[in-house]
Amino acid sequence: VILADPISWTVSGKQTGHYRAVAKNYVAALSPFVSVVVAGGPAYQSICDNILVLPQNQSDEYGHLHNKLVALRNCRALFHKAGENVVVLQSVGFTTLLIGILLYASRKNRLFLIHYRPIESYGLLYRVLWCFVKRKIRGVLSPSEEFGSTYDVPHISVPDYFYVGEDKPCKTIDRIYDFVSVGIQHPDKGVLAFAEKVAESRYTMLIAGTVPCAELKQNLESLAERHPNIHLDLRYLMEDEYDMAIRSGRYAVMNYTDAYATHSSGVVFDFIYRRIPVVGRDCNALSFISDNRMGLLYRSLDEIDLDVTADDKVYAEFMANIDKYLGKTKSCIESLVHFILGDR
């Protein structure tokens, strides 16, 4: 099985987003069942031993057209080298990726796509291209049956990440903050509104990661200056720093709005797999949190009583439910292996 990212996006020479994490996770999850190779640009070379290096990375230092040509060149190399091996394509590049499949994928390629959103959430060009490309696609991996069914090809419901047992429970003493929000801090993640609520309470909150929106960054910094219980670490976090930031909190904050509320979120699994419950807005992205009672969800910030999060009995119930959820994930991995290899 080849887990591929033909886009291989980099910022200042570094990979951002969750694509590298997905690649590492699939290697760990699938390796007990099948040989796994990661395919990507040179930025992926250090990720594992089995690497299929594609010609080039996309970069923020290149122009728009240059990056599209990089992606198409990588697609051509990938599909030529893949032969009849199973290729699972990461959900990145969208329209450019479909053009690459249309131009270079052959009948012998066995292609599966990861998709975190329903097809109607993409633009018209993508949906038109999909009508021509889907005959080359063996199946779609999606976080929900509802999303997967929109692609009109065989599909399977799988989480963004698989639990593979490498993350150990945090000791209570390691959890310095009551609430943490970690990752790229876009306005739609709703972190400012939640931080404003925490700022007026007796609880503490850490906000860590890059903030692309200058106005949001300024507002967060202003809030932290006025309220010492709001802590900021607004910068790019290396993998070990990201892990430490996640583990430093008692609860994960996911006050998602607009675009983030409508599709799957990878960062929620980073918290759940480290046995950290979620406090967040009730939305599609967090439906499995509600279904498995692994945190406290609300429809409006006005509804939530932060004191509930201090209740040790409630917290213990969330932790027990997380353990139950993690126990189910092995069968999910086995189902995926059967799905992508079943007709071989």
Side-chain angles (χ1 to χ4, degrees), residues 89-143:
L89 291 155
Q90 293 222 46
S91 179
V92 60
F94 306 127
T95 302
T96 305
L97 180 59
L98 291 195
I99 293 173
I101 294 172
L102 193 63
L103 291 176
Y104 302 119
S106 69
R107 289 182 178 274
K108 67 180 180 179
N109 293 140
R110 303 168 56 81
L111 306 183
F112 294 81
L113 265 65
I114 300 174
H115 270 297
Y116 302 121
R117 296 152 48 184
I119 194 167
E120 59 264 22
S121 68
Y122 293 99
L124 177 61
L125 177 59
Y126 186 94
R127 285 179 279 136
V128 171
L129 284 170
W130 179 254
C131 293
F132 295 96
V133 167
K134 67 181 182 180
R135 62 186 174 84
K136 295 186 175 184
I137 305 302
R138 301 293 183 96
V140 163
L141 286 55
S142 179

Side-chain angles (χ1 to χ4, degrees), residues 228-332:
N229 60 335
I230 304 299
H231 303 263
L232 304 180
D233 188 7
L234 305 183
R235 61 188 177 85
Y236 176 82
L237 302 176
M238 302 301 290
E239 287 188 42
D240 59 335
E241 295 172 325
Y242 178 80
D243 178 71
M244 289 176 63
I246 287 177
R247 294 181 186 275
S248 68
R250 181 174 168 90
Y251 281 90
V253 172
M254 297 185 183
N255 186 41
Y256 290 166
T257 63
D258 299 329
Y260 270 89
T262 61
H263 59 77
S264 181
S265 168
V267 70
V268 65
F269 292 97
D270 288 334
F271 282 95
I272 292 298
Y273 291 171
R274 290 166 175 81
R275 295 179 171 84
I276 298 176
V278 171
V279 174
R281 191 179 300 273
D282 192 359
C283 61
N284 283 338
L286 303 181
S287 60
F288 81 104
I289 297 294
S290 175
D291 293 344
N292 294 281
R293 287 191 49 79
M294 297 187 292
L296 185 64
L297 300 188
Y298 51 84
R299 295 190 178 277
S300 165
L301 267 177
D302 294 335
E303 296 178 6
I304 187 172
D305 178 4
L306 295 181
D307 288 338
V308 174
T309 63
D311 188 322
D312 288 338
K313 290 184 178 179
V314 171
Y315 186 77
E317 180 184 349
F318 291 153
M319 293 288 282
N321 289 337
I322 289 174
D323 286 337
K324 291 177 184 177
Y325 175 79
L326 297 182
K328 302 174 185 176
T329 57
K330 183 178 180 181
S331 63
C332 185

Side-chain angles (χ1 to χ4, degrees), residues 22-277:
V22 168
K24 291 177 69 174
N25 180 254
Y26 268 64
V27 169
L30 300 183
S31 290
F33 304 93
V34 64
S35 176
V36 184
V37 174
V38 174
Y44 275 94
Q45 288 188 85
S46 62
I47 197 170
C48 67
D49 294 333
N50 296 328
I51 297 291
L52 172 57
V53 181
L54 302 180
Q56 200 171 354
N57 303 315
Q58 280 195 354
S59 171
D60 62 331
E61 298 173 357
Y62 300 152
H64 184 68
L65 179 58
H66 187 153
N67 276 324
K68 287 191 175 296
L69 292 174
V70 166
L72 293 176
R73 191 179 303 121
N74 285 347
C75 283
R76 182 173 59 185
L78 170 65
F79 300 140
H80 174 71
K81 295 177 180 179
E84 296 183 0
N85 290 300
V86 168
V87 179
V88 178
L89 291 155
Q90 293 222 46
S91 179
V92 60
F94 306 127
T95 302
T96 305
L97 180 59
L98 291 195
I99 293 173
I101 294 172
L102 193 63
L103 291 176
Y104 302 119
S106 69
R107 289 182 178 274
K108 67 180 180 179
N109 293 140
R110 303 168 56 81
L111 306 183
F112 294 81
L113 265 65
I114 300 174
H115 270 297
Y116 302 121
R117 296 152 48 184
I119 194 167
E120 59 264 22
S121 68
Y122 293 99
L124 177 61
L125 177 59
Y126 186 94
R127 285 179 279 136
V128 171
L129 284 170
W130 179 254
C131 293
F132 295 96
V133 167
K134 67 181 182 180
R135 62 186 174 84
K136 295 186 175 184
I137 305 302
R138 301 293 183 96
V140 163
L141 286 55
S142 179
S144 73
E145 170 68 23
E146 178 186 357
F147 289 179
S149 64
T150 65
Y151 289 92
D152 194 29
V153 296
H155 57 276
I156 186 172
S157 178
V158 295
D160 294 21
Y161 300 117
F162 298 102
Y163 179 68
V164 291
E166 79 277 24
D167 296 310
K168 305 301 181 183
C170 307
K171 297 178 181 178
T172 303
I173 194 171
D174 294 331
R175 298 183 176 180
I176 304 167
Y177 306 100
D178 297 298
F179 306 101
V180 293
S181 176
V182 182
I184 303 174
Q185 303 292 347
H186 290 290
D188 287 356
K189 287 189 173 180
V191 66
L192 178 61
F194 196 95
E196 289 173 338
K197 187 175 184 72
V198 174
E200 302 298 334
S201 74
R202 62 189 177 93
Y203 301 105
T204 59
M205 180 174 178
L206 170 68
I207 302 167
T210 57
V211 188
C213 175
E215 181 181 0
L216 175 59
K217 184 176 182 181
Q218 183 178 357
N219 289 336
L220 289 172
E221 289 172 341
S222 175
L223 183 69
E225 286 178 4
R226 301 192 311 271
H227 298 277
N229 60 335
I230 304 299
H231 303 263
L232 304 180
D233 188 7
L234 305 183
R235 61 188 177 85
Y236 176 82
L237 302 176
M238 302 301 290
E239 287 188 42
D240 59 335
E241 295 172 325
Y242 178 80
D243 178 71
M244 289 176 63
I246 287 177
R247 294 181 186 275
S248 68
R250 181 174 168 90
Y251 281 90
V253 172
M254 297 185 183
N255 186 41
Y256 290 166
T257 63
D258 299 329
Y260 270 89
T262 61
H263 59 77
S264 181
S265 168
V267 70
V268 65
F269 292 97
D270 288 334
F271 282 95
I272 292 298
Y273 291 171
R274 290 166 175 81
R275 295 179 171 84
I276 298 176

